[in-house]
């Protein structure tokens, strides 16, 4: 079964508009972490934002925020006021396991293209 | 911020040769490092998890004799692709888990092309 599901292979958004990237996850762990990474064409993985499973408030980091719905096991990334430089692949990831036994699993990604 | 460095960034080799990729945490200690493989337009697939001083844990379907992982110190893990073949051509990315902070940092990736 897929651990991390990103249902949007690609999205086109007008510059300056907000965009929501979907991500659902599946785990039986009580403690886990959820990440979003951006991967531009250069290939590097750029950390964007993190949400711990016990965090009650939605994480925010500048123009990035998470809509974390624990009961639904979803953690959607919201990018406000999109910019041309936001065009990239976006990956949702989940960290499970305890110290010495962690594992980070990635979703299939969403290719975001910002249109001027 | 913490930096993870991978070397080399690009490597082209002949079929049958072995290639070593290094992953270093530059300003923090990492007890755990992860190695991923990414084919074009696909996601990162976890290959193995390496813990300092112990044998790596490989994901199902990953040949441990082909992809040798060594994590000899808290700042260095290496991935050796042995007897590389064209189908091993891929983008290999490492990530390191900070010992103190629990944060995860990625290397820049290494693009392997086997001719």
């Amino acid at each position: 079964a897929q651990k991390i599901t990103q249902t949007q292979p690609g999205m086109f958004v007008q510059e300056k508009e907000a965009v929501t990237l979907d991500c659902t996850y599946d785990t039986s762990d009580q403690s886990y972490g959820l990440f979003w990474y951006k991967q531009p064409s250069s290939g590097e993985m750029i950390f964007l934002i993190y949400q711990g499973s016990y965090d009650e408030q939605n994480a925010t980091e500048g123009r990035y925020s998470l809509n974390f719905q624990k009961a639904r096991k979803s953690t959607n990334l919201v990018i406000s006021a999109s910019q041309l430089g936001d065009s990239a692949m976006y990956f949702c990831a989940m960290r499970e396991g305890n110290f010495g036994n962690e594992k980070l699993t990635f979703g299939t990604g969403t290719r975001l293209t910002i249109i001027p | 911020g913490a930096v993870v460095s991978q070397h080399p960034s690009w490597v082209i080799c002949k079929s049958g040769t072995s290639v070593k990729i290094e992953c270093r945490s530059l300003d923090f200690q990492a007890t755990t490092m992860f190695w991923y493989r990414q084919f074009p337009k696909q996601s990162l697939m976890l290959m193995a998890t390496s813990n300092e001083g112990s044998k790596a844990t490989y994901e199902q379907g990953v040949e441990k004799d082909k992809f040798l992982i060594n994590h000899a110190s808290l700042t260095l893990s290496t991935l050796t692709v042995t007897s590389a073949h064209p189908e091993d051509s891929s983008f290999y990315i490492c990530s390191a888990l900070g010992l103190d902070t629990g944060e995860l940092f990625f290397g820049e990736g290494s693009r392997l092309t086997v001719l």
Side-chain angles (χ1 to χ4, degrees):
Chain A
Q2 202 66 0
K3 284 269 187 178
I4 299 285
T5 302
Q6 292 180 255
T7 58
Q8 306 150 311
M11 289 187 71
F12 291 84
V13 173
Q14 203 76 37
E15 190 181 7
K16 297 181 184 177
E17 288 186 353
V19 56
T20 298
L21 305 181
D22 297 338
C23 175
T24 58
Y25 59 92
D26 183 27
T27 181
S28 56
D29 285 4
Q30 295 298 311
S31 177
Y32 52 89
L34 299 161
F35 299 78
W36 278 90
Y37 288 90
K38 172 183 178 181
Q39 188 181 42
S41 56
S42 59
E44 62 184 309
M45 295 293 285
I46 302 171
F47 166 75
L48 296 179
I49 194 166
Y50 169 80
Q51 180 91 41
S53 58
Y54 290 116
D55 294 340
E56 295 187 351
Q57 302 226 347
N58 286 335
T60 61
E61 197 72 49
R63 292 188 299 114
Y64 305 108
S65 62
L66 290 183
N67 181 5
F68 178 48
Q69 298 186 41
K70 193 171 182 177
R72 293 185 176 184
K73 292 188 175 178
S74 76
T75 176
N76 299 336
L77 174 69
V78 179
I79 305 174
S80 62
S82 58
Q83 302 170 358
L84 295 179
D86 294 333
S87 295
M89 280 292 289
Y90 287 81
F91 291 100
C92 178
M94 177 172 64
R95 186 169 78 195
E96 301 172 280
N98 300 313
F99 182 78
N101 192 32
E102 292 97 346
K103 182 182 289 191
L104 188 69
T105 308
F106 284 82
T108 50
T110 297
R111 180 169 295 283
L112 175 64
T113 303
I114 306 299
I115 307 166
Chain B
V3 176
V4 174
S5 175
Q6 265 185 258
H7 178 81
S9 300
W10 293 81
V11 57
I12 301 173
C13 69
K14 291 183 178 181
S15 185
T17 60
S18 294
V19 175
K20 180 186 284 188
I21 301 170
E22 293 186 347
C23 178
R24 292 182 185 273
S25 56
L26 297 184
D27 55 0
F28 67 100
Q29 293 183 326
T31 54
T32 303
M33 289 187 175
F34 304 94
W35 285 96
Y36 293 87
R37 180 176 183 175
Q38 185 180 31
F39 290 110
K41 298 185 179 181
Q42 293 189 25
S43 185
L44 281 71
M45 299 302 297
L46 180 64
M47 299 175 66
T49 303
S50 75
N51 290 297
E52 186 265 337
S54 62
K55 289 184 179 180
T57 301
Y58 290 81
E59 294 299 299
Q60 193 172 9
V62 178
E63 299 175 59
K64 59 183 179 182
D65 293 331
K66 182 167 185 61
F67 299 100
L68 300 178
I69 291 172
N70 183 278
H71 192 164
S73 77
L74 286 173
T75 59
L76 174 65
S77 176
T78 60
L79 167 67
T80 302
V81 183
T82 62
S83 187
H85 291 284
E87 58 265 29
D88 298 325
S89 299
S90 188
F91 191 57
Y92 293 87
I93 307 177
C94 74
S95 66
L97 189 62
L99 175 63
D100 296 327
T101 65
E103 292 184 65
L104 191 68
F105 303 95
F106 279 84
E108 312 97 324
S110 300
R111 191 167 300 281
L112 170 64
T113 301
V114 184
L115 302 176

